[in-house]
Amino acid sequence: MSLYNRIGGDAAVNAAVDLFYRKVLADGRINQFFDGVNMDNQIAKQKAFLTFVLGGENNYDGKAMKDGHAHLVARGLNDSHFDAVMENLGATLTELGVPAAEIGEAAAIAESVREQVLGRSAA
Amino acid sequence: MVDISFKGGKIALKGDETILDALLREGHDISYSCKAGACQSCMMRCSSGEVPAEAQSALKDTLTARGYFLACKCKPENDISVESIELSESSEPAEISYKKIVSDNVVVLRLTPDAKSSLLEAFGGQYVNITSPENIARSYSIANIPKIDGCIELHIRKIPDGEFSSWAYDKAEIGDKVSIREPAGECFYFNPDGEEFDILLAGTGTGLAPLYAIAKDALLQNHKGKITLLHGALKFENLYFLEKLRQLAKKNNNFDYIPCVLDGDNIPDYCRVGSFDEIVESYVINPMNMKYYVCGAPDMVELLKKKIFLKGASFSDIYSDSFLIRGA
């Protein structure tokens, strides 16, 4: 059974999205990348991302990850920002009471797209 | 083999394809993004046939009831006819039955369709697309409860050189014929179980229109909980419906109306003066037990949503409508 189903599926992800996105927007290290973005679209993307890292759906394709972040890489997106997102992800899951082992699983999935997000891998 | 009927043609579904896959394969220009049922960019409507439950599980009841589904999640088992959402919207005639200029740049129009028209089932706060006798179409929010008034009220702000708004403000006359397309939008009062929560309504300019309708609808349904309406304008002279709203607040204990202006002289005491987003933020006092409606200029709407969200509101409790201005 995937972590996604173990923590409560769609409803749990909705709760996680609010918490996670609020942390990201409040984080001075990375919130400049979210200035002026449409929140509805962004929330939908965050939901797809969290669904993915929790093992719910695997429709994230590398090319889309790379293309979707290319404009941010051009504005200076780098490993330190990716690390900050990872930290917010961990804090969110901790706050929701997800056990450490499962947070590790989610983090490993998120980590697997680092190269594409930062534009260093062909896809 | 399963056939999809779309725009007069038939496409045979191959292997494990979704409707979105098949339409894209045939070169149709269908909007989509996540392909995972999350973003809802690929929403379409089924005009005949059966939609699998999985293609509708993420949608609100109000949408599934009307046959909407997500093409990226749809693998039908039998033949099905589908259409893009724009094409499915039909148009109905209506007549201007009232016109009043309420401020130096806002005109109120009431449009009366046939008494049996389904347009009168629209929720106050949704928007309709209206086509003028000059054949120019724009979308505006519904500012009243059509079912009760037997008409649809719109607040139209005159935009310099705006083709539609100039017609509405300067030329439109009672008796003029217009056509109206099916109401859309999720910005309305919906509380079938009579739950108790506070409501914060915040908008600038004619963003008041949907908020006014939502407030009236909530009061009519005896909403339990406080309703606060914040209307923002640059100057005091730009506010409209001031007396109407003050009277409504006098009559209803659980309804508060707070006009807000950025600055100016001789501003009455009941007005708040200052930056609108900061005033709105100060009214978010119990973020988890409130619902929020935010309407008006897109930049202000985005800013307010962000501030309300950061104060601790759940994003699903924030309803909004941005008024885009099409090139003047």
Side-chain angles (χ1 to χ4, degrees):
Chain A
M1 194 178 179
S2 72
L3 173 56
Y4 173 81
N5 288 315
R6 272 179 281 154
I7 70 161
D10 198 57
V13 173
N14 283 335
V17 169
D18 273 350
L19 266 181
F20 175 65
Y21 191 39
R22 197 173 292 124
K23 285 185 196 303
V24 167
L25 283 181
D27 187 335
R29 295 172 294 177
I30 46 178
N31 59 9
Q32 75 272 20
F33 294 110
F34 295 88
D35 282 348
V37 303
N38 175 299
M39 275 183 83
D40 294 83
N41 292 344
Q42 195 52 226
I43 288 267
K45 284 181 191 159
Q46 304 286 359
K47 185 174 174 185
F49 171 67
L50 285 177
T51 302
F52 163 69
V53 303
L54 295 170
E57 282 279 352
N58 201 348
N59 282 321
Y60 248 66
D61 79 80
K63 184 168 173 355
M65 288 299 261
K66 190 175 177 181
D67 295 350
H69 292 91
H71 66 295
L72 300 178
V73 172
R75 278 169 50 195
L77 186 79
N78 62 34
D79 281 300
S80 73
H81 306 116
F82 194 92
D83 292 343
V85 170
M86 291 292 287
E87 201 180 292
N88 287 311
L89 174 67
T92 301
L93 298 177
T94 304
E95 209 167 315
L96 288 169
V98 177
E102 270 88 355
I103 295 179
E105 281 177 45
I109 298 176
E111 194 57 61
S112 73
V113 297
R114 180 189 288 261
E115 298 304 306
Q116 283 127 28
V117 166
L118 297 177
R120 292 189 296 233
S121 145
Chain B
M1 192 165 67
V2 174
D3 278 334
I4 307 162
S5 303
F6 179 70
K7 285 191 175 171
K10 274 190 198 299
I11 301 163
L13 209 57
K14 288 183 190 165
D16 201 33
E17 277 185 327
T18 63
I19 288 188
L20 179 64
D21 295 330
L23 292 175
L24 293 175
R25 162 167 61 79
E26 291 300 311
H28 289 292
D29 182 19
I30 308 288
S31 73
Y32 71 96
S33 176
C34 77
K35 285 189 163 182
C39 75
Q40 306 196 354
S41 301
C42 65
M43 189 155 68
M44 299 183 78
R45 184 146 109 165
C46 166
S47 50
S48 79
E50 210 171 305
V51 179
E54 206 199 349
Q56 294 186 312
S57 65
L59 301 179
K60 294 186 178 169
D61 301 354
T62 47
L63 294 173
T64 58
R66 288 149 65 198
Y68 290 91
F69 68 94
L70 300 180
C72 74
K73 283 285 190 181
C74 191
K75 296 178 183 173
E77 286 171 10
N78 296 299
D79 291 357
I80 187 168
S81 298
V82 301
E83 52 196 19
S84 298
I85 294 174
E86 307 80 64
L87 292 175
S88 70
E89 289 169 344
S90 57
S91 176
E92 284 194 54
E95 194 175 293
I96 298 178
S97 53
Y98 173 95
K99 176 181 177 179
K100 190 175 184 189
I101 290 174
V102 293
S103 81
D104 57 356
N105 65 359
V106 177
V107 60
V108 172
L109 292 185
R110 286 190 197 140
L111 312 168
T112 304
D114 186 272
K116 288 186 203 116
S117 167
S118 63
L119 286 172
L120 298 174
E121 302 293 320
F123 292 103
Q126 286 192 293
Y127 55 85
V128 287
N129 189 273
I130 156 175
T131 305
S132 73
E134 297 171 345
N135 215 21
I136 297 159
R138 294 287 184 274
S139 291
Y140 288 95
S141 293
I142 302 171
N144 68 332
I145 304 165
K147 196 183 243 173
I148 290 187
D149 298 335
C151 64
I152 287 177
E153 179 174 307
L154 309 176
H155 298 176
I156 299 168
R157 178 166 72 93
K158 188 177 180 183
I159 291 161
D161 302 322
E163 286 181 290
F164 186 95
S165 64
S166 298
W167 164 77
Y169 197 90
D170 298 323
K171 293 195 220 156
E173 284 177 21
I174 289 172
D176 282 357
K177 306 270 191 287
V178 297
S179 64
I180 303 180
R181 271 198 320 191
E182 189 173 314
E186 301 293 326
C187 201
F188 54 83
Y189 181 75
F190 188 69
N191 186 15
D193 299 327
E195 285 175 47
E196 183 172 348
F197 51 85
D198 291 345
I199 298 175
L200 186 62
L201 306 156
T204 50
T206 48
L208 177 65
L211 302 178
Y212 181 45
I214 292 163
K216 284 200 291 191
D217 209 357
L219 290 170
L220 197 74
Q221 295 184 45
N222 296 313
H223 179 74
K224 294 199 263 317
K226 195 159 185 57
I227 304 163
T228 308
L229 169 59
L230 304 170
H231 185 206
L234 291 176
K235 305 274 176 210
F236 185 71
E237 309 82 84
N238 302 135
L239 292 166
Y240 67 95
F241 275 23
L242 200 74
E243 278 317 306
K244 219 176 240 211
L245 287 160
R246 295 191 73 206
Q247 287 305 321
L248 194 65
K250 259 186 203 152
K251 272 191 259 167
N252 294 280
N253 285 330
N254 63 336
F255 175 66
D256 262 351
Y257 161 61
I258 295 115
C260 309
V261 297
L262 190 60
D263 55 30
D265 301 321
N266 302 319
I267 296 165
D269 290 344
Y270 56 80
C271 263
R272 292 279 307 260
V273 181
S275 130
F276 190 58
D277 56 294
E278 282 168 22
I279 298 173
V280 171
E281 205 176 14
S282 71
Y283 282 87
V284 184
I285 29 189
N286 183 13
M288 290 304 281
N289 192 32
M290 288 177 88
K291 289 199 192 292
Y292 311 84
Y293 294 87
V294 184
C295 302
D299 290 352
M300 181 55 82
V301 166
E302 283 303 316
L303 178 64
L304 292 177
K305 281 160 73 176
K306 193 164 167 176
K307 290 213 160 184
I308 291 168
F309 179 70
L310 286 174
K311 283 279 248 177
S314 166
F315 196 72
S316 58
D317 287 333
I318 307 174
Y319 300 84
S320 66
D321 210 341
S322 287
F323 293 0
L324 298 170
I325 294 174
R326 176 140 138 189

